[in-house]
Amino acid sequence: MTPAPSFQRARQPEQITLRREQLLAAAAELFDAEGPSGTGLNAIAARAGFTKSNVYRYFESREQVLLEMFREEFVKLVDAMVDAIGVASDVPALADAISTTFLAHPRCCSLMAILANTLEQNVSEDTIATTKLHMDAQNTRLIAALKARLPGATPTDCGWAIFMIGTLLVGMWPNTNPPPAARAVLARPEFAHLRMDLSRDLTRAAEALLQSIA
């Protein structure tokens, strides 16, 4: 096996950007394969060819790595959702567009589901504030897109609906993506009534919320 090249500290801005991108790519691979529990700083460093101490040159903690990954994924989600909302013809179509777009971005949904109780731990106030400002800017785009399709609704109403749909998604996501043992139990016939259908249930809830402001 060819030995890994020795790590060299990045000093130029483009080198620092490259190192951060390498760490984010490694974190994304681990997160998709093993979830939050398998995306520790040691694992991220090893996957990227770093040592743990070198990671601290670019991120304050593994939570900051995941927060930055979330910000990138959230932009992708919003880009797709703005496009989907723009071609929806009525409230049911809007609800379907929003639900379908969420489900097409599972990495972003998984990160949203642990944003408050995991990702905002072990990071500075500045990092949290930066993330919330980023989310506000993206949500402003969603509000404008939704307001264009629902002219009778106010921007405040549209913001409320988007926030509530996102909150429902965060609550539903762990229940529809349980760990293996829980998934096996829920697959038993006697527990069929406990199984959720995220596409159906999120779409139905989104439609009810949107109808209330339309």
Side-chain angles (χ1 to χ4, degrees), residues 33 37 39 43 47 49 54 58 89 96 114 117 127 150 176 186 193 195:
S37 62
T39 316
R47 177 66 65 97
N54 284 324
Y58 309 103
S89 57
D96 182 69
I114 61 171
N117 63 1
T127 295
L150 298 175
T176 52
L186 288 171
H193 64 289
R195 294 196 292 268

Side-chain angles (χ1 to χ4, degrees), residues 20-93:
R20 289 171 65 87
E21 289 175 349
Q22 290 170 331
L23 288 164
L24 287 168
E29 291 175 2
L30 287 167
F31 190 84
D32 290 348
E34 303 182 33
S37 62
T39 316
L41 209 57
N42 283 324
I44 294 170
R47 177 66 65 97
F50 289 52
T51 64
K52 183 177 180 180
S53 61
N54 284 324
V55 176
Y56 287 116
R57 300 182 188 276
Y58 309 103
F59 294 98
E60 62 189 82
S61 63
R62 77 109 183 191
E63 286 78 14
Q64 191 188 26
V65 177
L66 296 178
L67 272 177
E68 186 149 335
M69 185 167 70
F70 165 69
R71 291 198 292 265
E72 292 183 355
E73 295 298 324
F74 195 58
V75 171
K76 296 175 186 176
L77 171 73
V78 172
D79 285 346
M81 195 170 290
V82 166
D83 289 343
I85 288 173
V87 297
S89 57
D90 54 20
V91 168

Side-chain angles (χ1 to χ4, degrees), residues 45-158:
R47 177 66 65 97
F50 289 52
T51 64
K52 183 177 180 180
S53 61
N54 284 324
V55 176
Y56 287 116
R57 300 182 188 276
Y58 309 103
F59 294 98
E60 62 189 82
S61 63
R62 77 109 183 191
E63 286 78 14
Q64 191 188 26
V65 177
L66 296 178
L67 272 177
E68 186 149 335
M69 185 167 70
F70 165 69
R71 291 198 292 265
E72 292 183 355
E73 295 298 324
F74 195 58
V75 171
K76 296 175 186 176
L77 171 73
V78 172
D79 285 346
M81 195 170 290
V82 166
D83 289 343
I85 288 173
V87 297
S89 57
D90 54 20
V91 168
L94 281 169
D96 182 69
I98 292 170
S99 175
T100 299
T101 305
F102 269 127
L103 299 188
H105 294 79
R107 185 188 294 164
C108 188
C109 292
S110 295
L111 289 163
M112 284 178 63
I114 61 171
L115 178 62
N117 63 1
T118 299
L119 302 190
E120 292 182 347
Q121 304 291 326
N122 200 30
V123 291
S124 66
E125 290 184 13
D126 284 347
T127 295
I128 295 172
T130 296
T131 299
K132 293 191 180 300
L133 288 170
H134 175 85
M135 293 178 69
D136 276 348
Q138 297 305 315
N139 282 330
T140 297
R141 297 174 57 208
L142 286 176
I143 290 168
L146 188 57
K147 177 72 175 68
R149 307 309 299 168
L150 298 175
T154 67
T156 299
D157 285 339
C158 292

